Amino acid sequence: MKLAIIFITCIFRSIASADILQNPDFELPISNLPTNSTSPFVLLNENNTIPGWTFQGEVQYVTAGANVSLPRNGHAIMLGQDGKINQTFTANGDLIQYLLTFTLSLASRNCKANVSLVVSAPDSSAEFSFTQKFGKEAWEVYGHQLGTWGNGESVNLILQSQVTDTDPNSTCWPVVDTLFLKTLGPLAQNSDNLLPNGGFELGPAFLDSSGEGVLLISEPSLVESALQQWTIMGTVKYINSKNYFIPEGKAAIEIVSGVSAGIQTAKTLSDGSNYNLEFMLGDANDSCSGELLVGVGAGSSAQNFSLQSNGSGAVKKYSMTFKGGPSPTQITFLSYKTTQREDGVFCGPVIDGVVLRASHGHKSNLQPILIALFFLAILQMSELL
């Protein structure tokens, strides 16, 4: 009965909610937009405002052109000195998680990143910046969990620039575009896998305007991670089957930021019982070639696994056994190498199809009893004869 309760399959609700935010891609033009201006930047002020958003500090309306690359080849917002935009939305219905996907680029293709973007909401804040090259596009797509709300709560989403350079005149300001909110209901376990979201199907939304996947930065909290039930170490890329080779299902994780980057989860298991961990190790068909080396830890057990890749889409299925401990068991996948493509883009091993099951080995304590019963049955039969 207890096992039956544990393995009940529950429904997971996922709703892609493009209409939660007003003007999320900034394509509704600002008021008094100049028609004869040759500059791709228009400073917002009391006469030039952006529909759906309020702003403070230096904020400019950006039009894609020769010097500015945008995902939709349309419009975006640049956050300059003390620049901030915000919008308030209402979290109706039951308590659900809100996952934000957005694009981040720089005001010029030639400048270096010395400023970051801070995204915040009630009880959450995260900082995003260009530190490495993770794709061929002039922008990067990020995912972030804003928080969990419901019952008509008012949520204020804030995006603001944060200078990391002491000279504001040399600062290359961030450009924000194409925000998308996705909502997720309660996560529950199914009967085939002790690890919720072991196939990584539950995460932030992918954007149609980008083919580079969604970057997830370091997040040590299982509850606050945009990748449901997995913490993030370093930077990983959430990839989909539309643009990459995926070993199984529609989504997977590529560990892109090198040594000690990866993902981790935790599960309460029976102390001393045997368990089997299965997973798939592959490459994303993104020209990431060479030896892909991953260290896998499960409780007190650890093993290394490798895949020799030519970058054209390959996969191997691996498994390992381990014993449950007295406290929640940590299950970790870490990259042991830093890998780059020929064009300098950072890439790495793909993890997918992580399945945790109780091993038949945990029933081994029954074997002596079964053997004794077997010999007892033979003895009884011999006496009858």
Side-chain angles (χ1 to χ4, degrees):
M1 182 63 180
K2 186 176 180 180
L3 288 176
I5 294 175
I6 292 175
F7 292 123
I8 288 176
T9 300
C10 297
I11 297 175
F12 185 96
R13 294 179 298 152
S14 174
I15 308 169
S17 304
D19 58 349
I20 295 176
L21 296 175
Q22 300 177 53
N23 196 19
D25 54 7
F26 310 107
E27 291 308 306
L28 293 179
I30 63 174
S31 56
N32 300 318
L33 178 65
T35 57
N36 57 354
S37 175
T38 58
S39 173
F41 303 98
V42 177
L43 182 66
L44 299 188
N45 52 41
E46 63 274 10
N47 297 316
N48 297 329
T49 58
I50 181 72
W53 299 86
T54 59
F55 62 91
Q56 297 178 26
E58 183 183 315
V59 178
Q60 300 198 45
Y61 189 60
V62 182
T63 301
N67 297 318
V68 181
S69 296
L70 299 176
R72 292 180 179 271
N73 200 31
H75 301 91
I77 290 294
M78 186 181 78
L79 300 172
Q81 183 74 36
D82 300 319
K84 176 193 297 186
I85 59 172
N86 70 285
Q87 182 174 148
T88 300
F89 64 90
T90 301
N92 292 317
D94 299 330
L95 288 173
I96 51 178
Q97 293 181 343
Y98 286 79
L99 305 182
L100 176 67
T101 305
F102 65 95
T103 65
L104 177 63
S105 55
L106 298 175
S108 170
R109 297 176 182 177
N110 299 320
C111 65
K112 296 181 180 180
N114 47 18
V115 71
S116 59
L117 174 75
V118 177
V119 178
S120 58
D123 304 321
S124 73
S125 180
E127 184 176 337
F128 302 87
S129 61
F130 283 79
T131 55
Q132 293 177 322
K133 187 178 180 183
F134 295 116
K136 61 184 179 181
E137 296 170 338
W139 56 86
E140 292 177 345
V141 180
Y142 287 93
H144 171 57
Q145 185 192 153
L146 290 179
T148 301
W149 305 284
N151 303 317
E153 291 180 272
S154 182
V155 181
N156 188 27
L157 170 63
I158 303 172
L159 296 92
Q160 61 189 92
S161 63
Q162 179 166 296
V163 177
T164 57
D165 197 312
T166 56
D167 181 8
N169 295 321
S170 67
T171 297
C172 189
W173 301 108
V175 176
V176 183
D177 195 11
T178 321
L179 285 78
F180 193 99
L181 275 180
K182 176 181 177 181
T183 58
L184 295 175
L187 177 61
Q189 182 181 297
N190 61 46
S191 59
D192 298 322
N193 190 354
L194 292 175
L195 290 181
N197 200 24
F200 310 116
E201 299 297 300
L202 307 172
F206 296 101
L207 299 180
D208 292 336
S209 57
S210 175
E212 288 290 348
V214 180
L215 294 174
L216 305 178
I217 63 172
S218 232
E219 175 51 68
S221 170
L222 284 174
V223 177
E224 298 176 5
S225 174
L227 183 65
Q228 300 297 284
Q229 291 299 301
W230 293 87
T231 64
I232 309 296
M233 294 163 283
T235 300
V236 303
K237 184 182 288 188
Y238 190 49
I239 58 176
N240 62 354
S241 56
K242 178 181 178 181
N243 299 296
Y244 294 89
F245 170 73
I246 302 297
E248 182 178 81
K250 296 182 179 180
I253 288 296
E254 182 181 14
I255 306 174
V256 293
S257 63
V259 178
S260 297
I263 55 176
Q264 184 180 75
T265 190
K267 183 68 180 178
T268 300
L269 303 174
S270 297
D271 187 13
S273 294
N274 293 326
Y275 292 87
N276 187 61
L277 181 69
E278 299 176 357
F279 67 95
M280 297 179 183
L281 173 63
D283 72 75
N285 190 22
D286 58 357
S287 302
C288 194
S289 59
E291 184 187 32
L292 304 178
L293 183 61
V294 172
V296 181
S300 60
S301 300
Q303 292 186 38
N304 295 340
F305 300 90
S306 64
L307 173 72
Q308 194 64 37
S309 167
N310 61 10
S312 59
V315 62
K316 280 187 177 181
K317 192 170 184 178
Y318 290 105
S319 66
M320 62 181 289
T321 59
F322 66 96
K323 289 185 180 294
S327 57
T329 300
Q330 303 287 338
I331 296 174
T332 307
F333 294 86
L334 287 178
S335 175
Y336 281 171
K337 295 186 66 176
T338 298
T339 310
Q340 286 179 275
R341 303 181 336 206
E342 291 184 357
D343 59 3
V345 171
F346 286 82
C347 59
V350 171
I351 305 297
D352 199 10
V354 183
V355 177
L356 176 64
R357 296 189 180 97
S359 171
H360 294 300
H362 79 287
K363 297 180 179 179
S364 60
N365 58 331
L366 296 178
Q367 289 181 359
I369 299 176
L370 294 175
I371 293 173
L373 291 175
F374 175 74
F375 283 108
L376 179 60
I378 293 178
L379 180 61
Q380 291 176 342
M381 289 178 63
S382 63
E383 290 177 350
L384 291 174
L385 294 175

